[in-house]
Amino acid sequence: TMMLKLPPPPPTRTAATHKWRFGYGSNLGLKTLREKKNLSVDRYHVGIIKGYELYFMPGLNEYVEPAWAAIRPSPDAELHGSAFLIPNAEAEGLDKQEAGYNVVDVEFTTYDGEVINVGLYVPKKPYVEGSSSEAIPSYRYLKLLKDGASEGGLAQHWLDMLDSVEHYITPPHIR
């Protein structure tokens, strides 16, 4: 039987109409992007960005969302996640939602070796060694990352790393 070869994506999907964004936190999973964030994802790849590492920064508060996913520059680190192509208007909307982050253009490499320039959400408040604090994410938020990562087929060592992150336990007196 002949292998069905898909035609290349239409040439209209250019930088003029669509933008690439990279998800490593709640924007990681395709299902979440489509169902919760109502994004029209045109293309979706998983892979890595070199030179950044994942950590969790303090969120709203311990009762609502104790921590958000964040990244900090780290020369030898690799950040695993997803690159997704969405219409410009949706990218603008997502950028507004992610108001605590700047969009930085970086090079993303898919697990298959394709290189794509993507917009990476980098916290506006840079991590300062010795003075910035880290936080423990909620079970719900951490599960969102784990589900997105396993759904996307991220590398096993990344899934294992996410499994090793402890989650926040609400003190009994505020349950």
Side-chain angles (χ1 to χ4, degrees):
T1 54
M2 267 205 34
M3 272 289 289
L4 200 82
K5 194 155 167 26
L6 287 170
T12 53
R13 304 285 189 234
T14 62
T17 61
H18 286 62
K19 283 192 171 64
W20 285 100
R21 288 294 179 263
F22 180 83
Y24 55 85
S26 63
N27 294 328
L28 176 58
L30 182 58
K31 212 168 138 212
T32 302
L33 293 171
R34 286 192 166 144
E35 293 171 14
K36 301 265 188 323
K37 308 215 171 189
N38 295 314
L39 298 173
S40 326
V41 179
D42 202 70
R43 289 177 66 198
Y44 180 90
H45 293 289
V46 288
I48 58 172
I49 289 173
K50 289 190 189 302
Y52 286 92
E53 71 177 345
L54 179 75
Y55 78 102
F56 293 91
M57 64 180 183
L60 288 174
N61 62 52
E62 57 187 309
Y63 314 121
V64 183
E65 205 54 88
W68 308 125
I71 52 171
R72 55 191 169 209
S74 178
D76 303 325
E78 285 182 344
L79 178 66
H80 292 243
S82 66
F84 49 94
L85 187 65
I86 52 177
N88 283 345
E90 294 184 6
E92 274 170 39
L94 189 60
D95 295 350
K96 282 198 187 91
Q97 272 179 40
E98 302 291 353
Y101 300 79
N102 289 318
V103 180
V104 178
D105 282 325
V106 298
E107 204 173 79
F108 161 82
T109 307
T110 69
Y111 287 150
D112 299 332
E114 188 187 343
V115 176
I116 302 167
N117 280 325
V118 300
L120 174 66
Y121 291 111
V122 178
K124 285 182 177 170
K125 229 176 103 181
Y127 182 85
V128 181
E129 200 65 56
S131 75
S132 291
S133 56
E134 297 190 38
I136 299 171
S138 69
Y139 174 78
R140 185 202 69 84
Y141 187 78
L142 192 56
K143 188 175 183 314
L144 200 60
L145 266 69
K146 289 183 189 178
D147 289 352
S150 62
E151 176 204 330
L154 292 195
Q156 187 58 49
H157 73 87
W158 191 259
L159 300 179
D160 294 343
M161 183 278 294
L162 289 175
D163 276 338
S164 73
V165 175
E166 56 176 331
H167 64 262
Y168 185 80
I169 310 279
T170 312
H173 67 271
I174 51 174
R175 280 208 185 123

